Structures are given as C-alpha cells and as structure tokens.
Amino acid sequence: MKSLHFAPALIALLGLFCACEETTTIGSSLVEDQLKIVIDSTFTASGHSVKVEGIRSRTTTQMLGSIDVPSYGRLTSSVVTQFTSATVLDTANYRPQDVDSLHLIMRCGVGSFLGDSVVPMGLTVYPLTRQLPSPIFSDFDPEGYYDPSTVLASKVYNMSAMNSDSIGKLSYRDINIKLPRELGVSLYQSFVDNPSSFATPQSFSRDVFPGVYVASTYGSGRISIASLTAMRMYCSRIKYNEEEEKNDTISGTYDYFVVTPEVISNNNLTYTMDPQLQAMVDGGDALVVSPTGYEVEMEFPVREVVDAYRSAGGDKVVVNSLTLQIPADSIANDLGVAPPPYMLMVLKSKRDSFFANSELPDNQTSFYATYDSSTHSYSFTALKNYLSDMFDKEEITAEDCTFRLVPVLVTFETVSNGYYSTSQVESSVVPYISTPAMAKLGIDEAKIKFTYSLQSQK
C-alpha cells in the first residue's frame, strides 16, 4: 500500500507560504491540531557529460548540408528515406506515358536553416538498392544500400529568394530536384501492373521503390532543415472533346509519394566537437550538445528525500510536491546555437526503450521541461509520483536514482474538452535534431524542493 497521502484542501493553502528549510504553523485557533507546511531544499544532485554515438530520431524532419560553427564544432548531414505512396493513382485520366516529369521536393520554412542562406550547396540523389534497416540510428552509413554509379539527379541550391518577389513572399523555400522522367513512368506502370503493391508503405518500399539517398556533396556553410519531403509528379494528356469537336489538354500535379512517420527516414549525422567544448567536458562540465553529441547523466538524491520524509513522520506526512530546477547557461558562439527547447529527464535504464517504443513522459520514470529563457533553466515540477514509488521500495538502488537528461523535441496536438474548451497534449517526444543546440547544465547548483504538510497535536 502506498504511504503517500493527498489532501487537496491542504494543497490549496500552499500558495500562502514561501520558505526554505522553514516550518509554518496555521489554523491553530480553529482546530486542536496545528498544521505545518515544510519546504526542504537542502538536497543536492550531481552529474557528468556522456558521449552519444547515435540517436534514434523517428522524425520526418530532414537535415541536409555541412557547417562549421566556432565553439560548437562541425556538423554534416545526409538523408536516407523511404516514401509512403498514395493507394490510388488517377488511371482514369492518365496512362504511364502521360507522366511529364517527376521532382523531389524538400520544403523548408523561411529561416529553417543554420548558416548562410546564399552560400551555394550541392547535393546528389541516388536510388536505394535495398530496404533500410530497422531500427536505424543517426550514425548509419548508407554504403551498401546504394550504387554510387547510379545517380538520379544532382543540384546546386541555396535558401535565399535571390531578389525574386514571387519567391520572397512565400513562407517556405523548396529544394526542387528534377528526377528522371523514366522513374515517374516506371512508378505509374508499377501501379497499373500491381495496385496491391501500393497498399501499404511497407509493400511499396519492398516491391516497388526502396527510397532515396540524398547526399550533401558540395560546399559548407549551411544546414537546411526540411519539414516536408515528397516526390511530385506532373502529368498531362490530350483528349478529344467530342461535344466541342476539339482536343483538350488535361494536366495535374500530384504528390503521390510523401515522407511520413510510417516509413523509415533517417538523418545520417557526423559531428566533430569543437576543442573548446571538448576541454569543458574534459574539465568536468555537464554539457548537453545535440544532435548526436552529449547528454548528461545525473544522480538524483531520492534516498535523502525519502529519509527526510520518514524522519518527519512518514504516514503522518502529506506530500505536496517535489520539484527540480536545473540552471542552463548558453555557450557563446557566432551563429546563435542555443539551449535545446525541451529537456527529457528519464531513468537511465529506460532511456533506450523510451525512444524505441515512441513513449510519452509518464511522470513516474520520465519527465520533460521547457527551457525558460528568462530564468535560464529547466524546471521539472511533476516528480511526486516518482517519489511515491520510492516510498514503496524496501531498498532504493542506484538504478532508481540515475537519470539521463536528453535534449528533445516535443510536439503537441489540440484536443477538445467540450464545446468551448480545448487543450494541448503531447503527441511525440523525440531526440532533438531540428538544429544544433548546446548548453552547460548547472547540476551542482540545481534547486530541489521537497514540500510537505505535517499535522501534530497542539
């Protein structure tokens, strides 16, 4: 049986008090007992940097390019990806020979890059020769999954509107790569011959088209970040209009093949840390660096918190909250590489399974916090259930106390709570790869507050 007690009426009184290692008495004129609100902040944590070789991102965000950032390091990224196909192609109006062209579109929001928007960068697109492995990690080497002699397309591109008014007014920039028309014709013919192979992403990648490898092959100075990737097909056909006795041209544009969460897609990342950062790690600083850089392993003083609970009276204690605030300092650099927007705090023993199973924080073994730019910190405020589980254990082991702090991206969806109310709930938590990010965590200076109510005879 859990020994953690909840008293909503008492919790409501907490807003009246603020103390550190202090006891406050209330209600003594109304009842025979006196109520003490105790805020104990005498606990300390410890932590150190841990190298991360590869991450399992499971994201449709795709990074392409290469960049050197003083005080951060050098990051390069290429892409391998499969596609989800439309289950039905328009065979009523078009035949395979009516495919005019096929383009690979990588759409980036305005400003969705790190570095110089004008610097020319080069890429090369190869068809995959076999299915991608699962699971797949950021240190994946595509060698053996493509034929270097078979090139679908090459392109030099930038992320600037280049003084074009029509492009400048758009909210996005497209990396538009023209693929061989023959590939489009072949894909259309595959649907005509065997529509069932388009029924699922798995059957499409297995039986029709394994996907593409997009390699960054030229230039340095920018990482472009695509939030949507698709193969766009342009079709046209001349049909005779019997009523008007003339030929009509029917044309259409179709994004039949799109990168979605259901398919395997991966950013192949290579990161070389700047010597300045490496010196900080070697000197004992707790750094988080993403993507595929460093995480922080933290020892949380839960044994000491449980001892404080039992010393205060155990079953007579009503636990109100357990919170953790970790300072996070920016590291000076020339390109605005900032602390990651979210931080996951997960038991070390459950870190890998959390990402492998696409889990969400449960506020028992995993939690997340948003970076607060005003206080320069991450605040974890929902640790009470974790503490409750520790009360029930006969022995608290090192596994119960050891956490990983992982930079993550948290996405949300809106749910309805009735006719007039909605709320945002977490829909996914994945390792942060959207842009380079880094911070120095002040684990030794973290503020841990254990707040409880204690009732005793007057």
Side-chain angles (χ1 to χ4, degrees):
M1 179 180 295
K2 293 184 183 295
S3 55
L4 179 63
H5 302 282
F6 301 89
L10 301 181
I11 296 172
L13 295 170
L14 285 177
L16 303 175
F17 304 95
C18 182
C20 183
E21 300 178 61
E22 294 183 2
T23 302
T24 303
T25 303
I26 62 173
S28 56
S29 63
L30 301 177
V31 296
E32 291 300 319
D33 295 338
Q34 64 181 18
L35 179 65
K36 298 177 182 179
I37 306 295
V38 180
I39 303 176
D40 190 346
S41 58
T42 61
F43 312 102
T44 58
S46 61
H48 61 278
S49 301
V50 177
K51 176 67 175 173
V52 178
E53 297 297 337
I55 57 176
R56 183 175 181 174
S57 60
R58 294 195 135 195
T59 177
T60 57
T61 298
Q62 298 185 325
M63 301 171 63
L64 189 63
S66 175
I67 193 167
D68 284 292
V69 182
S71 302
Y72 169 79
R74 179 177 178 83
L75 179 68
T76 62
S77 181
S78 63
V79 172
V80 288
T81 188
Q82 298 173 346
F83 293 89
T84 294
S85 170
T87 56
V88 177
L89 275 60
D90 186 359
T91 54
N93 288 306
Y94 304 106
R95 301 155 300 176
Q97 60 266 34
D98 296 326
V99 174
D100 286 335
S101 63
L102 183 70
H103 295 245
L104 178 65
I105 307 294
M106 301 182 73
R107 176 157 294 179
C108 310
V110 170
S112 295
F113 63 89
L114 185 73
D116 189 339
S117 65
V118 179
V119 63
M121 303 288 290
L123 60 81
T124 301
V125 183
Y126 303 90
L128 294 179
T129 55
R130 61 190 178 111
Q131 288 209 282
L132 294 170
S134 181
I136 190 170
F137 296 88
S138 59
D139 56 356
F140 173 72
D141 184 352
E143 184 177 355
Y145 287 81
Y146 77 106
D147 180 355
S149 66
T150 305
V151 175
L152 290 178
S154 296
K155 184 180 182 68
V156 175
Y157 67 100
N158 60 45
M159 285 290 101
S160 172
M162 298 297 288
N163 300 317
S164 170
D165 290 339
S166 59
I167 296 177
K169 294 176 182 179
L170 298 176
S171 61
Y172 58 87
R173 301 286 182 267
D174 280 347
I175 305 174
N176 190 322
I177 308 139
K178 188 174 182 180
L179 302 175
R181 174 179 176 270
E182 292 75 19
L183 176 59
V185 173
S186 174
L187 291 172
Y188 223 104
Q189 187 64 56
S190 295
F191 177 79
V192 172
D193 294 341
N194 186 14
S196 63
S197 63
F198 285 62
T200 67
Q202 293 74 25
S203 61
F204 178 73
S205 63
R206 182 188 64 240
D207 302 331
V208 181
F209 188 64
V212 296
Y213 167 41
V214 186
S216 182
T217 53
Y218 170 80
S220 179
R222 184 179 63 251
I223 294 285
S224 301
I225 303 155
S227 56
L228 182 149
T229 301
M231 287 194 295
R232 179 170 296 168
M233 186 175 286
Y234 295 85
C235 301
S236 66
R237 182 181 181 185
I238 297 176
K239 295 183 67 175
Y240 182 71
N241 187 327
E242 295 183 354
E243 292 184 0
E244 300 183 13
E245 297 183 346
K246 66 172 186 175
N247 288 330
D248 288 338
T249 299
I250 301 173
S251 61
T253 303
Y254 306 94
D255 289 348
Y256 280 139
F257 315 100
V258 182
V259 175
T260 66
E262 290 77 22
V263 299
I264 299 173
S265 181
N266 191 65
N267 295 289
N268 314 312
L269 303 173
T270 302
Y271 172 62
T272 303
M273 177 173 277
D274 185 273
Q276 175 183 324
L277 281 189
Q278 191 61 59
M280 294 174 68
V281 171
D282 295 341
D285 288 330
L287 301 188
V288 288
V289 183
S290 66
T292 188
Y294 276 85
E295 300 172 356
V296 167
E297 191 166 298
M298 179 182 66
E299 300 298 323
F300 188 78
V302 70
R303 294 187 185 93
E304 290 83 351
V305 177
V306 171
D307 288 344
Y309 164 81
R310 290 171 178 164
S311 297
D315 289 346
K316 297 180 181 179
V317 173
V318 177
V319 175
N320 298 312
S321 65
L322 177 63
T323 63
L324 167 67
Q325 184 182 52
I326 303 175
D329 294 331
S330 299
I331 300 172
N333 64 92
D334 295 336
L335 286 181
V337 178
Y342 302 96
M343 191 70 67
L344 176 72
M345 174 180 167
V346 60
L347 282 175
K348 176 185 176 181
S349 60
K350 297 184 178 296
R351 177 204 178 278
D352 293 344
S353 61
F354 181 92
F355 293 115
N357 299 326
S358 301
E359 297 178 13
L360 295 174
D362 60 10
N363 290 334
Q364 287 183 301
T365 62
S366 55
F367 320 82
Y368 82 91
T370 303
Y371 178 68
D372 188 328
S373 59
S374 61
T375 62
H376 305 288
S377 65
Y378 297 95
S379 294
F380 300 89
T381 59
L383 305 178
K384 187 165 58 175
N385 289 341
Y386 160 65
L387 182 59
S388 173
D389 289 343
M390 296 302 103
F391 290 155
D392 290 338
K393 294 181 71 73
E394 293 184 4
E395 179 184 1
I396 298 175
T397 66
E399 186 176 293
D400 298 318
C401 311
T402 307
F403 286 87
R404 281 288 186 90
L405 296 170
V406 185
V408 291
L409 176 66
V410 181
T411 55
F412 301 87
E413 62 181 17
T414 302
V415 298
S416 175
N417 300 322
Y419 289 107
Y420 306 105
S421 176
T422 61
S423 61
Q424 295 284 318
V425 298
E426 301 85 5
S427 57
S428 70
V429 176
V430 298
Y432 188 69
I433 67 163
S434 298
T435 58
M438 60 182 176
K440 176 184 174 182
L441 302 186
I443 304 297
D444 296 341
E445 302 170 359
K447 297 178 181 178
I448 302 169
K449 289 187 178 181
F450 175 39
T451 305
Y452 58 90
S453 303
L454 182 62
Q455 209 165 24
S456 60
Q457 289 293 323
K458 182 178 178 180

